[in-house]
């Protein structure tokens, strides 16, 4: 397995994994998330922009997982301490490659990506129902710092 930064050539394989990610999320929260295809231009834009990357895990020239990471800053509220940080937008490891250390390898590379850019911390969101992902993130030192609450009508 190799972890590297995605190029435009890998877009079709990343699109395939996005479909798997969106399907998994739709199973966990069917009321709010539906199976879908990711727009190729979104992936292309992420790859070519200076403040974001898609880190991919490859095995025998196949993309088996990825992590989309973006440099960002805290909102301009006077009560918030200003920080530049890395936000992990999406993480997926293909179903047949899970529990083989690929998610950990992608997170380790994300930590290096953020450190290289001298960012203050890594942040991500995870669905409450995604117990496997939450366990992986906690194993890597992520802590719950915020909670989204929803009142349904």
């Amino acid at each position: 397995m190799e972890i590297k930064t995605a190029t435009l050539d890998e877009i079709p394989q990343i699109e395939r994994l996005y479909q798997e990610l969106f399907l998994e999320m739709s199973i966990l929260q069917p009321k709010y998330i539906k199976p879908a295809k990711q727009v190729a231009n979104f992936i292309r834009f992420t790859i070519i922009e200076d403040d974001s990357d898609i880190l991919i895990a490859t095995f025998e020239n196949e993309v088996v997982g990825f992590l989309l990471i973006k440099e960002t800053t805290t909102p301009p509220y006077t009560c918030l301490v200003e920080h530049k940080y890395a936000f992990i937008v999406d993480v997926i490891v293909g179903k047949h490659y899970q529990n083989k250390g690929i998610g950990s390898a992608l997170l380790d590379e994300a930590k290096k990506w953020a450190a290289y850019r001298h960012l203050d911390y890594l942040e991500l969101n995870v669905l409450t129902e995604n117990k496997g992902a939450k366990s992986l993130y906690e194993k890597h030192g992520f802590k719950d710092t915020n909670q989204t609450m929803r009142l349904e009508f």
Side-chain angles (χ1 to χ4, degrees):
M1 176 193 54
E2 178 185 9
I3 305 292
K4 62 182 185 174
T5 302
T7 66
L8 297 176
D9 293 336
E10 279 104 16
I11 289 175
Q13 293 184 70
I14 294 168
E15 285 179 303
R16 179 184 49 78
L17 282 172
Y18 254 120
Q19 283 188 273
E20 192 172 328
L21 173 63
F22 293 162
L23 176 61
E24 176 68 23
M25 291 170 59
S26 75
I27 292 167
L28 294 173
Q29 286 193 354
K31 186 172 181 176
Y32 301 102
I33 302 170
K34 63 184 178 182
K37 291 180 81 172
Q38 181 56 278
V39 179
N41 281 339
F42 170 80
I43 299 168
R44 183 177 290 106
F45 181 79
T46 301
I47 290 170
I48 64 174
E49 282 300 303
D50 291 335
D51 67 347
S52 60
D53 276 311
I54 298 177
L55 307 175
I56 59 172
T58 61
F59 181 72
E60 296 180 354
N61 295 318
E62 179 185 357
V63 178
V64 298
F66 75 82
L67 181 150
L68 190 156
I69 190 166
K70 181 170 183 50
E71 186 175 324
T72 191
T73 58
T74 49
Y77 298 120
T78 57
C79 65
L80 294 179
V81 176
E82 187 176 328
H83 288 280
K84 288 178 71 175
Y85 63 99
F87 187 77
I88 297 174
V89 179
D90 291 310
V91 181
I92 178 73
V93 174
K95 188 173 191 158
H96 301 297
Y97 295 93
Q98 293 177 359
N99 300 309
K100 298 182 184 325
I102 295 169
S104 287
L106 286 166
L107 288 171
D108 287 341
E109 195 63 29
K111 292 172 191 175
K112 292 176 191 173
W113 188 94
Y116 177 79
R117 292 166 177 261
H118 306 288
L119 302 177
D120 297 324
Y121 55 87
L122 281 168
E123 186 171 282
L124 55 80
N125 292 325
V126 60
L127 297 178
T128 303
E129 297 85 357
N130 197 339
K131 307 293 185 209
K134 287 176 71 172
S135 176
L136 173 66
Y137 302 144
E138 289 168 353
K139 183 175 111 178
H140 279 267
F142 286 85
K143 298 194 181 336
D144 191 7
T145 60
N146 196 9
Q147 189 170 8
T148 300
M149 299 175 74
R150 181 177 291 144
L151 174 63
E152 297 183 10
F153 297 105

